[in-house]
Amino acid sequence: MTGGATPHGPKAHADALLAEVEAACARLATREDPAKPFSVLDLADLLQAPRARAYDVIRRLVATGRAEVAEAGHGATPGRWRLTQGPKPQRARKPATAAEQMWAAMRAMKSFSPTSLATHADVGEVEVTVEAARRYCRALLAAGYLRVVQRADRGHEAVYRLQQRSGLKAPVLRRVQAVIDANTGTTTVVGGAA
Amino acid sequence: MAEKRKLPPNLAALSNVSRLLSLVETCEGRGSSLPGLGVFYGRPGLGKTSAGTCCAVLRETVHLSVNPFVREKGLMQMIAAELGARVPTRINKDDLFNLTCAAMVDANRTIILDEADHLLRDTVINTVRFLHDETRIPIILMGEEDLSSKLLQFARVHSRVLERTGAEEATLADLDLLIAVEAKGFEIAPDLREELLTGSGYTHRYIVKNIDAIRRMALSQGLSRVTRADWGSRTFDKGDVPNPRVLPEYRRQPQRVRRVA
């Protein structure tokens, strides 16, 4: 999930692109003539970015309805686009991890079983399996976040209720590094804990 | 690890979920001079709360269920606490209001108030209005079919409603989706599906309930696929109640006739 010092991975890439799209819009709109069509090269100049990157940005602009084709390119003639008065897209505010999706769903549900939690949390970007929901519930139960409303019995699973609503950010289940001393029976957490 | 999405069907494709999502998007993307209250209404069982839960996952809205006893302070405390603000146990209304507004602005998330019918008291609904006016954060009121008309009596709130969207009855597409999500381990034949839809009164809650009835029936008969013929003359539940039974004449207690001497 969180890597080294510099963010990487598809999400970081998407975030960077989004920031660049915003920058592109701002710069295109503050040109002498904002309505003037622009080519990939114009945008690459404006952004001080490679042409491929400028093309990514244009594709994004068109996909979100903020730019449209002004002149179609053919052969050696490059295509030109112009900004539209299209809707400004919302900030991308999707939970990015399974834990965040489950936390959001469980805060909204009065009581839930791992299956119903998975059903409702499994609508976002990340797949949430029943097994993952079961694991998360078990961890939060042990940590005192959940209360058992109905104990598991033959044929049906346990039903939980969220009793400790600590806020918007999802508690995460982490593997921690610890030193365990069998002589004294002590466990000292040394790393990996958030 | 985060796998990229994905083929299996999920609740997000339900039509009422997209209705609520587009209502939330309208309120969030409104112009700066427009009010941002929304109303999502519909009769019980159409999956409004479920849609709210999906919305909480998809758009990070904050979904709060209002209880029938809530008053101004309780409402503000509930919102502030849900947004992760530390609410002192002893706090006056004015401070609480400011604290709640600050928490709402910080979190910058649309708030969905489920069972908003319980808010329909002058002081409480005005708290909602003030919170919205102060923060401009969209607030969606979710409630019964007649929520919009009940809001008419609160003109200042009513006039701030940007859009009203109704939850609609389930369609065949919704039914297929619910079957895909709920019916695990057995199959419901196409010839039974239409009857399942009408038999459930086009209501999501009864559809899920009846899918479970089919599951139990499949289990008891050892079927992996249930067809119309298997289902036979059984009926689906759509909330009809049995008529009160009347004792036949011959079993009624004989009326005592009082004789006058």
Side-chain angles (χ1 to χ4, degrees):
Chain A
M1 314 214 178
T2 46
T6 47
H8 62 278
K11 187 174 182 301
H13 176 80
D15 285 349
L17 181 61
L18 212 66
E20 208 142 11
V21 166
E22 291 306 322
C25 271
R27 284 186 202 166
L28 286 168
T30 50
R31 288 176 304 164
E32 278 175 36
D33 178 13
K36 193 180 158 212
F38 55 88
S39 67
V40 175
L41 278 177
D42 297 339
L43 188 62
D45 265 1
L46 272 177
L47 289 175
Q48 297 288 302
R51 220 186 299 177
R53 189 68 174 164
Y55 195 68
D56 277 351
V57 171
I58 289 182
R59 258 198 305 224
R60 181 77 190 216
L61 285 175
V62 173
T64 51
R66 295 164 81 179
E68 61 186 8
V69 177
E71 301 153 26
H74 53 85
T77 323
R80 286 175 191 282
W81 289 263
R82 78 167 86 79
L83 288 184
T84 59
Q85 300 301 315
K88 201 179 166 205
Q90 302 296 314
R91 282 144 298 172
R93 299 201 297 191
K94 283 179 183 167
T97 66
E100 283 170 10
Q101 288 178 194
M102 284 189 275
W103 182 246
M106 105 179 13
R107 289 199 344 257
M109 296 167 88
K110 279 180 183 152
S111 59
F112 50 87
S113 66
T115 307
S116 67
L117 178 66
T119 308
H120 283 93
D122 190 30
V123 292
E125 292 253 296
V126 184
E127 181 170 1
V128 178
T129 59
V130 177
E131 191 42 54
R134 211 167 279 151
R135 216 178 308 130
Y136 194 59
C137 285
R138 217 178 291 141
L140 289 194
L141 179 69
Y145 284 86
L146 303 185
R147 209 181 53 197
V148 177
V149 182
Q150 199 182 342
R151 294 171 68 93
D153 198 356
R154 275 164 312 188
H156 69 82
E157 0 166 61
V159 178
Y160 304 100
R161 187 188 164 81
L162 183 64
Q163 62 172 358
Q164 196 176 314
R165 314 171 77 87
S166 55
L168 298 172
K169 291 179 192 144
V172 285
L173 179 56
R174 280 277 162 81
R175 282 186 192 176
V176 296
Q177 233 170 37
V179 175
I180 300 167
D181 188 340
N183 306 303
T184 54
T186 52
T187 306
T188 318
V189 176
V190 292
Chain B
M1 253 342 267
E3 282 105 39
K4 196 64 194 162
R5 194 98 227 165
K6 159 205 180 158
L7 295 169
N10 64 73
L11 294 184
L14 280 177
S15 55
N16 282 340
V17 175
S18 26
R19 283 192 187 95
L20 180 60
L21 277 175
S22 78
L23 175 65
V24 169
E25 272 161 29
T26 308
C27 289
E28 286 180 354
R30 72 193 192 279
S32 54
S33 56
L34 296 173
L37 293 184
V39 173
F40 191 66
Y41 60 91
R43 62 180 166 80
L46 291 183
K48 298 187 294 294
T49 303
S50 247
T53 308
C54 292
C55 211
V57 175
L58 283 167
R59 287 198 72 84
E60 296 198 335
T61 55
V62 173
H63 189 96
L64 288 168
S65 192
V66 180
N67 68 45
F69 321 107
V70 80
R71 289 162 57 174
E72 308 103 280
K73 248 179 134 170
L75 179 70
M76 292 192 284
Q77 262 162 348
M78 188 166 80
I79 295 175
E82 183 64 33
L83 296 173
R86 300 273 165 275
V87 186
T89 38
R90 287 174 67 84
I91 185 169
N92 65 40
K93 275 186 201 166
D94 189 26
D95 291 343
L96 180 59
F97 179 73
N98 291 330
L99 188 146
T100 310
C101 288
M104 282 169 70
V105 172
D106 283 348
N108 192 17
R109 295 187 182 191
T110 299
I111 292 176
I112 298 180
L113 295 175
D114 198 355
E115 306 195 42
D117 308 81
H118 301 316
L119 297 171
L120 298 176
R121 271 169 294 158
D122 211 27
T123 50
V124 185
I125 197 77
N126 272 315
T127 310
V128 175
R129 168 169 74 91
F130 278 116
L131 285 173
H132 170 67
D133 282 359
E134 197 74 18
T135 60
R136 300 196 43 77
I137 300 284
I139 298 179
I140 311 285
L141 304 173
M142 187 185 271
E144 288 301 308
E145 189 69 30
D146 54 356
L147 181 59
S148 292
S149 56
K150 280 185 184 160
L151 274 176
L152 269 174
Q153 54 179 312
F154 308 102
R156 290 164 202 219
V157 180
H158 166 75
S159 67
R160 280 172 174 76
V161 175
L162 181 68
E163 198 163 280
R164 300 168 183 84
T165 303
E168 301 291 336
E169 294 186 330
T171 59
L172 263 177
D174 291 336
L175 177 85
D176 287 343
L177 202 73
L178 286 172
I179 288 177
V181 171
E182 299 286 340
K184 297 268 163 69
F186 68 102
E187 206 185 320
I188 298 175
D191 58 353
L192 186 57
R193 293 194 175 196
E194 198 148 335
E195 190 171 325
L196 174 59
L197 184 65
T198 50
S200 308
Y202 303 91
T203 308
H204 301 66
R205 185 171 290 150
Y206 289 118
I207 291 175
V208 173
K209 206 171 158 185
N210 288 325
I211 290 175
D212 190 62
I214 299 176
R215 181 188 66 81
R216 275 182 280 125
M217 179 262 188
L219 207 63
S220 68
Q221 310 244 333
L223 300 169
S224 59
R225 180 186 158 90
V226 182
T227 60
R228 177 72 200 79
D230 297 324
W231 189 248
S233 61
R234 295 175 180 86
T235 54
F236 288 119
D237 183 6
K238 60 172 170 181
D240 294 339
V241 293
N243 288 328
R245 284 167 291 185
V246 180
L247 278 178
E249 193 68 41
Y250 67 91
R251 292 207 28 212
R252 287 189 197 159
Q253 291 283 328
Q255 296 271 318
R256 287 248 174 90
V257 183
R258 193 174 287 168
R259 298 202 175 171
V260 184

